[in-house]
Amino acid sequence: MKITEHLKNAKSTLFSFEILPPLKGQSLKELLEGIAPLMDFKPPFVDVTYHREEFIYKKHPHGLLEKISTKKRPGTVGICAAIMNRFQVDAVPHLLCGGFNKEETENALIDLNFIGVENVLALRGDAPKTEGRFVPENGGHHFASELVEQIIRMNQGKYLHEETETSFHTDFCVGVAGYPEKHFEAPSMKFDLKYLKEKVEKGAEYIVTQMFFDNEKYFKFVEDVRAAGITVPIIPGIKPITTIGQITMLPRTFFLDLPDALMDELEKCKTNGEVKEVGIEWAIQQCKELVAADVPSLHFYTMSKADATYKIAKEVF
């Protein structure tokens, strides 16, 4: 079922979450068993992230550098199939511009359609850690709006190297990302919303937000999105802080603010266990307020670890 249909049919706020493909060497069984407890809250869909190939440069004694692939995560397509088969829920794979050309994207979409996936989340993706800015692949997309456009064209039976439309077409529901605190590359929120509207006009049917810790940022974002003429559902993304390191890592990595009230409590913590307790309690209160505001779904960024999300959901749903 399409995400838009799940949201339309829901009588109350839904529960959903995102997982990462496991590192190479870890089993699919471990992944599935790890997220199994979250099925208690009847998620209608589960997102599965995608990762571009990453490289390191090894210096040899003669001074030359060798480019070595360090991509260590198995395929998203197979994980989606396993989740759908095991739990009878819809899997939502992420598709990236970064690291993939149009042909590779088309092939991935054909594979996803073949196994019965009906939803995808279209993202530009970030630059590799070794590069300072995003550079598209040769023959790839520069922006998520272009990726959305390719997906919609396939829904219409239009393929890259076909002269005319074919009878074989996909039927994907396309989601995109939104940023309550602005995408860090956008010059202003006004222009960020302009780019978001372009993705919707190209065919995106729902928005999932970046994580945030201040609900007022989400509510203001929704207000501004609606004022810009965007009417599609906006799903808030939630992540509890669970370690001391995340207190500085999350703002630095995702370009977001932690509320003063939250920081006041986190500063009192001496251990990861204390931080996790504060982070979970903050997320519980955050989620209760969002549910009271009748948001479409609470979408949790779990990092494939179920325990914190389980504790939150148990108090909210």
Side-chain angles (χ1 to χ4, degrees), residues 141-157:
H141 295 300
H142 292 71
F143 307 107
S145 58
E146 297 173 347
L147 177 55
V148 172
E149 189 172 26
Q150 180 180 5
I151 300 167
I152 297 303
R153 284 178 60 83
M154 287 184 64
N155 284 351
Q156 298 166 346

Side-chain angles (χ1 to χ4, degrees), residues 242-314:
T242 56
T243 67
I244 293 173
Q246 289 176 351
I247 297 172
T248 54
M249 181 276 286
L250 292 176
R252 182 178 67 249
T253 304
F254 297 100
F255 302 91
L256 49 81
D257 292 333
L258 299 182
D260 290 339
L262 174 57
M263 279 304 305
D264 288 342
E265 295 303 313
L266 290 172
E267 281 190 322
K268 301 173 186 177
C269 299
K270 304 299 182 184
T271 66
N272 283 336
E274 292 174 350
V275 167
K276 188 173 183 178
E277 186 176 336
V278 169
I280 288 173
E281 182 56 34
W282 182 272
I284 288 171
Q285 299 309 316
Q286 196 179 353
C287 290
K288 286 182 176 179
E289 184 178 28
L290 291 167
V291 169
D294 199 27
V295 299
S297 180
L298 293 176
H299 189 69
F300 291 87
Y301 298 113
T302 68
M303 307 299 289
S304 300
K305 297 179 181 179
D307 58 330
T309 300
Y310 188 92
K311 290 176 181 177
I312 297 164
K314 188 176 179 181

Side-chain angles (χ1 to χ4, degrees), residues 4-294:
T4 48
E5 294 174 317
H6 284 301
L7 299 178
K8 182 179 179 181
N9 296 337
K11 295 181 173 59
S12 59
T13 298
L14 299 174
F15 167 83
S16 58
F17 62 94
E18 172 187 297
I19 62 169
L20 306 175
L23 292 170
K24 185 176 181 180
Q26 297 177 350
S27 71
L28 179 62
K29 180 182 178 182
E30 289 177 302
L31 173 67
L32 297 179
E33 289 179 351
I35 65 174
L38 297 179
M39 296 301 154
D40 289 354
F41 307 106
K42 297 180 173 53
F45 60 93
V46 175
D47 277 38
V48 183
T49 64
Y50 214 107
H51 295 268
R52 67 187 298 166
E53 191 168 18
E54 296 182 358
F55 301 90
I56 60 171
Y57 290 88
K58 181 180 178 180
K59 189 173 182 179
H60 291 279
H62 49 61
L64 293 178
L65 296 177
E66 180 185 4
K67 187 178 182 181
I68 301 173
S69 172
T70 60
K71 186 173 182 180
K72 300 296 183 183
R73 296 183 186 273
T76 295
V77 175
I79 294 171
C80 287
I83 288 173
M84 293 163 62
N85 180 65
R86 170 74 177 272
F87 299 117
Q88 303 302 305
V89 301
D90 284 309
V92 184
H94 294 189
L95 290 177
L96 304 180
C97 299
F100 303 91
N101 61 38
K102 296 173 187 176
E103 283 77 12
E104 290 168 330
T105 297
E106 183 174 281
N107 290 336
L109 288 164
I110 290 171
D111 287 345
L112 291 167
N113 181 76
F114 180 76
I115 65 172
V117 168
E118 297 183 68
N119 306 279
V120 293
L121 191 70
L123 307 167
R124 190 200 68 174
D126 298 323
K129 298 174 184 177
T130 55
E131 299 178 14
R133 63 186 180 89
F134 177 84
V135 178
E137 288 294 300
N138 185 27
H141 295 300
H142 292 71
F143 307 107
S145 58
E146 297 173 347
L147 177 55
V148 172
E149 189 172 26
Q150 180 180 5
I151 300 167
I152 297 303
R153 284 178 60 83
M154 287 184 64
N155 284 351
Q156 298 166 346
K158 300 174 184 176
Y159 290 77
L160 290 174
H161 304 299
E162 297 288 342
E163 296 296 330
T164 60
E165 294 182 22
T166 68
S167 59
F168 172 75
H169 61 86
T170 56
D171 189 25
F172 292 109
C173 174
V174 184
V176 292
Y179 299 86
E181 298 178 65
K182 188 181 78 63
H183 189 279
F184 74 99
E185 291 182 2
S188 69
M189 180 58 81
K190 175 183 176 181
F191 280 89
D192 204 20
L193 292 175
K194 176 184 176 182
Y195 304 141
L196 179 59
K197 187 173 184 179
E198 182 179 2
K199 290 188 284 188
V200 173
E201 289 174 342
K202 291 286 181 68
E205 296 182 71
Y206 71 98
I207 297 164
V208 182
T209 78
Q210 176 64 276
M211 69 182 75
F212 58 90
F213 295 88
D214 182 350
N215 284 353
E216 290 305 314
K217 299 280 181 70
Y218 170 79
F219 295 137
K220 181 63 166 59
F221 176 69
V222 172
E223 180 183 327
D224 291 343
V225 169
R226 299 303 182 223
I230 301 169
T231 60
V232 300
I234 304 171
I235 299 172
I238 304 296
K239 175 174 173 33
I241 292 178
T242 56
T243 67
I244 293 173
Q246 289 176 351
I247 297 172
T248 54
M249 181 276 286
L250 292 176
R252 182 178 67 249
T253 304
F254 297 100
F255 302 91
L256 49 81
D257 292 333
L258 299 182
D260 290 339
L262 174 57
M263 279 304 305
D264 288 342
E265 295 303 313
L266 290 172
E267 281 190 322
K268 301 173 186 177
C269 299
K270 304 299 182 184
T271 66
N272 283 336
E274 292 174 350
V275 167
K276 188 173 183 178
E277 186 176 336
V278 169
I280 288 173
E281 182 56 34
W282 182 272
I284 288 171
Q285 299 309 316
Q286 196 179 353
C287 290
K288 286 182 176 179
E289 184 178 28
L290 291 167
V291 169
D294 199 27

